[in-house]
Every structure is written in C-alpha cells, then in structure tokens.
Amino acid sequence: MKSMMKISPKTTHIAVCGLGYVGFPVALLFAKAGFQVTGVDVNEEKIRKINRGGNPIEGKEPGLKELIGQVKKTGRFQATTDPASYQEAQVIIIAVETPVEEETHEPAYRALKSALRDIGQNLSAGRSKEVLIIVESTIAPQTMAKVVQPILEAESGLQMGPDFLLANCPERLMPGHLIENITNYNRVIGAPDQRTADLAKSLYKYIVKGKLETTDWVTAEIVKAGENAYRDVQIAFANEMALLCEALGANVWEVRRLINECKRRGETRFEALRQMHFPGAGVGGHCLPKDSWLLVYGARESIEPN
Ligand SMILES: NC(=O)c1ccc[n+]([C@@H]2O[C@H](COP(=O)([O-])OP(=O)(O)OC[C@H]3O[C@@H](n4cnc5c(N)ncnc54)[C@H](O)[C@@H]3O)[C@@H](O)[C@H]2O)c1
C-alpha cells in the first residue's frame, strides 16, 4: 500500500492531459491556487504558444488573458509534449477530446485511449505515494469501468485501489464563460469508494465555489451526458413546434408564451412548470450535438468504442 495522499498546494503536483477549452483553464486555475501544474498535450505548436505566455483558446474569454498573466508570474505552470511528466504528478486530470464518429455516432476514443496508454505507462510501480487520476472529459456511461480502468491497469501492470485511485469529474463549462463556469458551477464527482471521492472533493475545493457532490462512476457519467441530452431534446422540441406552428399558421412565440402559462395561480414547484424554450437556429457548439450519442451508446449492453 502506498502512503496516503493529502491534497495540498505545497506538496501535490498536478498534471493536466489535454490543454483545450477544458484543460487549459483548469490547469491555470490550479496553478493560481498554488499548485505546481504541468500541462501535457500532443500538439507541439500549442505547447510552444502556451510556454511563450500565449493563449491557445479561440474566441472571447473574460478573465483568461489576465489569468495567463497572473500564473506566468508565479512560474507554477509549464506545458510539454513529454508524457514522462506524468511520473512527477500525484494528480493527473484527463481533458482530451471525446467526439463521436461522423457516420456511426459511436464514441471516437482515439485521443482518450492514447492518453490512457501514455499515463498507464508512466505510472511507476516504484511510487511511494498514491496517485489520483481524474477523467474530466465527457464519456459514455460505463466508460470508466470498461475502458479507462482496464487500459490504465493493463498499461501500468498496477491495480486500481492499492496502486492508483480513479475518479470521474465531468466538466460543465461553456466556451465564452470558461473561468466563470469552472468557478461557479456545481460539480459531480464519480468515484468507486469514499477515499477517492473525498480526495477528489478536497482537490476541487481549491478552484470550484459551487457545490461538489459525490456519487458512483456510472451515475456521474449518466448525469453529464444526460444533462446535455436533456438540453438537446428541449431545443429540438422548441424547433419542431416552430415548424408545426408555421405549417398550421400559428405564431410560435404566442404558443410558447401560452404553454408556459399552464400553471396554477402562485405555482412555484419546478416540476409543475412548462418551460418551453425559444425556437432558434438549431443545436450546435462543442458538446450538445455529440453528448446525446454518448448517452445512448452507454446504454447499450456492451461498450467497445473505437
Ligand atoms: N469545450 C466545451 O465546451 C466542453 C464543455 C464540457 C465538457 N467538455 C468535454 O471536455 C473534453 C475536452 O474538450 P475540449 O473542448 O477541451 O477539447 P479540445 O479539443 O479543445 O482540447 C483537447 C486537447 O487534448 C489534446 N490531446 C489529444 N490527445 C491527447 C493525448 N493523447 N495526450 C495529451 N493531449 C491530447 C488535443 O491536442 C487538444 O489540445 C471533451 O470530452 C469534451 O466533450 C467540453
């Protein structure tokens, strides 16, 4: 048994795997909170840009430029393409892309599997301290048990539990609000045991002001894919209603207003309210078009993503 880890900015070195919309701001926020952080990415150009103090994130991101400047002054964040950096870390956060295949809509886990292989091969058996690995990427239900744990164990020759701890803490941010969302959204932590849940919670407390709720892996996986699928369905419903109203010669805005008025006087119970969305241009963005497919895929009996 390794010696028990305690999360502390002074002693806990964090590695963040994947420096995109999720990984980059998460790495900076932990560095700002006092942790030594190493960001690992396969994109060499991105790494060069980050190490020059540049911003690899496209679009307006309030607070990000200032955060990059603050963290640069501390010297607590470096970026690299070298997976050997995982050897130094007591916490490894995975934030690589998890798209779905264009044709089949099955999860395309090439980046995730490659990251897991790199991490597994660098989980040295000679470590004296525990290591906590956290998946922040959005994954299909059962991916932690059927993909993440088996690859890490096979590549490292180690065992989850005695040798390393494994949690799922899905990210909820939206581009355009990265820093604000990471800081203020409530988060769900999926863990197979209380010790892992407690450790992950004590880590996220340093950057998240929202509520941190702990549960099991599959619940956390379903919650993340499910919350985006729910949104997807709500948007699709409003858009279908717009088409229907147009075909029937009705005004969808008036229809929506009157549907949402369907409530008893003084009703405040959330579940008693109709909350039809505004119709719009359709579903887009980084996550909504794919996460419903991840949810459905995870509901199948056997999960063997590419
Ligand atoms: N972008 C969002 O709005 C958002 C919100 C919530 C959750 N998520 C989820 O978070 C995850 C990451 O999303 P993102 O938008 O940050 O993706 P992204 O494409 O912006 O960034 C992913 C990064 O991972 C790197 N990468 C790929 N393979 C790697 C490997 N083997 N080792 C190291 N780095 C590797 C890529 O080069 C890239 O820089 C996805 O699962 C996504 O669904 C995204």
Side-chain angles (χ1 to χ4, degrees):
M1 187 69 164
K2 315 272 184 236
S3 77
M4 303 272 267
M5 188 201 317
K6 193 172 170 299
I7 300 289
S8 151
K10 285 209 183 89
T11 53
T12 309
H13 185 140
I14 300 176
V16 177
C17 167
L19 296 174
Y21 285 84
V22 170
F24 184 59
V26 164
L28 291 177
L29 285 170
F30 276 119
K32 186 183 170 203
F35 292 87
Q36 194 64 42
V37 181
T38 305
V40 185
D41 203 290
V42 289
N43 183 333
E44 289 181 11
E45 202 183 312
K46 190 179 259 192
I47 294 299
R48 276 196 295 273
K49 187 169 190 176
I50 291 173
N51 283 335
R52 283 197 305 266
N55 177 10
I57 303 296
E58 285 175 17
K60 267 200 187 152
E61 283 301 340
L64 186 59
K65 210 173 141 214
E66 294 77 5
L67 182 60
I68 293 171
Q70 285 169 353
V71 168
K72 195 162 192 274
K73 279 193 208 132
T74 68
R76 285 197 293 263
F77 173 59
Q78 298 82 36
T80 176
T81 54
D82 185 2
S85 320
Y86 298 127
Q87 291 170 17
E88 309 295 318
Q90 287 82 51
V91 171
I92 303 171
I93 295 174
I94 302 175
V96 299
E97 67 268 24
T98 49
V100 293
E101 302 290 357
E102 226 167 275
E103 294 282 309
T104 61
H105 297 126
E106 292 186 355
Y109 280 166
R110 284 177 285 278
L112 179 65
K113 286 183 172 179
S114 145
L116 291 167
R117 281 193 294 270
D118 283 347
I119 293 167
Q121 287 161 14
N122 283 286
L123 283 184
S124 147
R127 273 173 190 266
S128 57
K129 273 196 190 164
E130 287 175 320
V131 55
L132 170 65
I133 301 166
I134 301 171
V135 177
E136 280 211 19
S137 297
T138 305
I139 48 181
Q142 298 198 329
T143 299
M144 290 300 290
K146 294 191 172 176
V147 178
V148 180
Q149 181 186 353
I151 294 181
L152 287 173
E153 289 187 337
E155 295 292 333
S156 64
L158 302 176
Q159 216 190 331
M160 187 190 76
D163 299 317
F164 64 89
L165 307 173
L166 189 52
N168 174 220
C169 184
E171 186 53 73
R172 286 176 155 162
L173 57 77
M174 215 192 302
H177 310 270
L178 299 180
I179 310 297
E180 193 279 331
N181 287 174
I182 294 172
T183 311
N184 293 313
Y185 263 62
N186 299 330
R187 293 284 286 274
V188 175
I189 295 168
D193 53 67
Q194 199 56 47
R195 164 121 187 93
T196 307
D198 290 345
L199 261 185
K201 202 168 170 178
S202 67
L203 173 76
Y204 280 98
K205 269 189 186 155
Y206 283 95
I207 64 165
V208 174
K209 290 188 195 146
K211 212 189 319 170
L212 294 165
E213 302 229 41
T214 57
T215 182
D216 55 78
W217 278 347
V218 79
T219 302
E221 292 167 324
I222 296 171
V223 166
K224 173 62 205 180
E227 67 202 21
N228 279 354
Y230 179 68
R231 201 98 174 119
D232 193 2
V233 169
Q234 283 178 315
I235 294 168
F237 179 79
N239 289 341
E240 287 295 320
M241 287 293 280
L243 293 175
L244 182 146
C245 288
E246 195 174 299
L248 298 180
N251 177 339
V252 69
W253 307 104
E254 183 63 355
V255 167
R256 172 184 175 277
R257 188 183 71 76
L258 292 170
I259 285 178
N260 290 348
E261 279 300 317
C262 173
K263 59 188 174 196
R264 152 183 314 117
R265 237 178 337 126
E267 180 64 75
T268 53
R269 289 171 306 148
F270 176 78
E271 60 280 10
L273 301 175
R274 272 50 162 193
Q275 299 197 335
M276 183 181 147
H277 280 27
F278 290 111
V283 172
H286 294 238
C287 299
L288 292 198
K290 74 174 177 81
D291 288 354
S292 303
W293 292 110
L294 292 177
L295 179 67
V296 171
Y297 192 83
R300 295 185 191 158
E301 213 170 290
S302 90
I303 179 169
E304 284 176 22
N306 298 320

